[in-house]
Amino acid sequence: MQTVRYTQNAAAALSEIVTKHAPDQVFVLCDSHTEQLCLSLLQSAGRVITIQPSDAAKTLDTLASVWTALQQGGATRHSLLVNLGGGMVTDLGGFAAATFKRGIRFVNIPTTLLGMVDAAVGGKTGINFGGLKNEVGSFREAEEVLICTKFLATLDAPNLRSGYAEMLKHSLLSSRRMWSEHLLFDLADPDFGQLQTLVQQSIEVKQSIVAQDPHEQGIRKALNLGHTIGHALESWHNAHHAEALLHGYAVAWGLVAELYLAAAQTEMPTEVLRQTARFVFDHYGRPAIGCNDYDALYDLMLHDKKNRGRDINFTLLHEPGDVLIDQHVERTLIDESLDFLRDA
Ligand code: GLY
């Protein structure tokens, strides 16, 4: 299983990692936000490479700029790249490391909640290409992932909620006990001590699924819960609004819609749907969609890269902790789930 270190002193933990792996040079990749807000917590860890923040910069040009910086800085196969940032930095930095000189070692230090519980763990790296998200990439695990929840103090409330949606997903995949505990967490006034414990539990759920199926041939598809409808809502929103929707909001709504499908199709208890929906609507509101948008949303689901052929591939629950992958759902039921989501 991938090594994940939990610490409140990122500089000391990174220094231990560097001593252990003894690279000839250390490079730190950050974006302009994490350079300003987080880099000082690492002290002088290595030569800094800075890229633009946001998913819009997760491109081949940015990737090439990182390769160039590594090359000009004299990186060798024995160098180490430290990715300090959210999912965009760890995905792109991981891919830069996976490909530079056929692969150099890298360490992920996620600075967002979403990055900690999802992107930085599990070895998915890549960039957007040809208008599609994460279209080009590789499976390559970081040598270590360093989790320092001190970085969460730099996050605003919407980004905290965004990451929490993936934690809610992990709790649904894990057990009824973990799911109930996640619904009780006060997301409006978070206790960071409690959050730290929940983050560790959440990462452990993801790690154990990834360890069973690192290349997503089977059970790793469980991590797609909430994402088939969630990704469609995210792409639809981003095509119609200037400001991008935070990924976790789309996932939270996708979870509710897909729990609706499960309640109808797998006999998942309706109280799992009702309690999760109440939590999501209280903290994330509802998506601004109308029934005229259903065709477009369905079309986006048909293009999900996790599908095979023309079948939309859903992950459904039978019960928290009891997951069914590769499930087919009829269009009429999908429409009903969207009705439920927008309270129609
Ligand atoms: N984000 C889902 C996965 O890593 O498989």
Side-chain angles (χ1 to χ4, degrees):
M1 210 183 279
Q2 185 167 41
T3 307
V4 180
R5 260 180 219 241
Y6 298 89
T7 181
Q8 287 302 306
N9 185 342
L14 182 59
S15 157
E16 278 172 27
I17 291 173
V18 170
T19 305
K20 177 176 155 198
H21 294 281
D24 58 0
Q25 274 202 82
V26 178
F27 293 79
V28 181
L29 178 69
C30 46
D31 66 32
S32 50
H33 290 153
T34 55
E35 179 179 27
Q36 206 191 342
L37 297 169
C38 307
L39 189 61
S40 60
L41 280 177
L42 294 189
Q43 293 157 5
S44 54
R47 190 188 281 256
V48 177
I49 305 171
T50 307
I51 55 177
Q52 288 307 305
S54 96
D55 203 63
K58 199 172 162 185
T59 62
L60 190 54
D61 283 348
T62 310
L63 177 66
S65 75
V66 176
W67 285 330
T68 303
L70 289 170
Q71 193 175 49
Q72 290 180 348
T76 72
R77 271 205 178 155
H78 306 285
S79 300
L80 181 77
L81 181 65
V82 176
N83 298 316
L84 177 71
M88 181 272 187
V89 170
T90 56
D91 278 10
L92 186 142
F95 192 45
T99 45
F100 187 75
K101 293 192 188 290
R102 298 208 177 92
I104 65 171
R105 294 166 297 174
F106 66 101
V107 170
N108 284 339
I109 309 185
T111 55
T112 63
L113 186 56
L114 190 65
M116 288 178 193
V117 298
D118 192 16
V121 178
K124 282 189 180 173
T125 74
I127 55 167
N128 304 332
F129 186 73
L132 296 174
K133 280 173 76 94
N134 301 324
E135 180 72 346
V136 176
S138 66
F139 286 102
R140 178 95 174 206
E141 287 205 332
E143 292 300 312
E144 302 208 17
V145 181
L146 206 158
I147 302 291
C148 175
T149 44
K150 266 191 183 167
F151 289 121
L152 297 180
T154 66
L155 276 194
D156 56 25
N159 274 290
L160 210 65
R161 283 198 286 272
S162 180
Y164 198 79
E166 294 285 359
M167 294 171 64
L168 188 58
K169 177 193 80 176
H170 289 155
S171 77
L172 282 160
L173 296 176
S174 172
S175 64
R176 198 170 254 274
R177 185 200 53 74
M178 190 168 163
W179 165 70
S180 305
E181 197 182 355
H182 277 67
L183 292 187
L184 289 175
F185 183 70
D186 187 353
L187 201 45
D189 183 18
D191 169 337
F192 281 89
Q194 191 191 357
L195 184 61
Q196 199 173 315
T197 309
L198 296 181
V199 165
Q200 181 158 351
Q201 286 174 11
S202 203
I203 293 172
E204 284 166 3
V205 170
K206 175 155 185 186
Q207 278 186 289
S208 99
I209 293 173
V210 171
Q212 295 168 58
D213 176 25
H215 295 143
E216 202 169 274
Q217 301 300 306
I219 192 61
R220 187 170 181 164
K221 293 180 195 169
L223 295 171
N224 206 30
L225 182 70
H227 283 65
T228 306
I229 293 181
H231 274 151
L233 290 167
E234 187 177 4
S235 301
W236 183 89
H237 174 102
N238 294 346
H240 291 85
H241 297 84
E243 197 174 331
L245 180 68
L246 289 173
H247 175 68
Y249 280 66
V251 171
W253 294 327
L255 285 174
V256 171
E258 294 180 22
L259 289 181
Y260 182 96
L261 303 180
Q265 189 158 303
T266 75
E267 293 165 8
M268 184 196 75
T270 49
E271 39 116 5
V272 176
L273 167 65
R274 271 191 291 104
Q275 291 187 40
T276 309
R278 190 176 319 128
F279 183 87
V280 167
F281 297 147
D282 281 355
H283 294 286
Y284 300 80
R286 293 177 187 260
I289 51 167
C291 56
N292 291 340
D293 305 315
Y294 289 7
D295 283 347
L297 287 165
Y298 189 74
D299 210 45
L300 286 162
M301 289 174 218
L302 280 173
H303 287 97
D304 191 301
K305 67 171 162 303
K306 306 234 168 41
N307 296 339
R308 244 173 202 265
R310 292 282 297 168
D311 244 5
I312 304 175
N313 226 336
F314 282 96
T315 294
L316 298 180
L317 283 192
H318 190 244
E319 162 74 29
D322 184 357
V323 187
L324 305 161
I325 58 169
D326 296 332
Q327 299 294 298
H328 173 77
V329 177
E330 290 299 326
R331 164 80 195 253
T332 45
L333 191 56
I334 296 175
D335 286 359
E336 265 182 39
S337 76
L338 296 172
D339 286 344
F340 178 79
L341 198 52
R342 63 188 188 93
D343 199 18

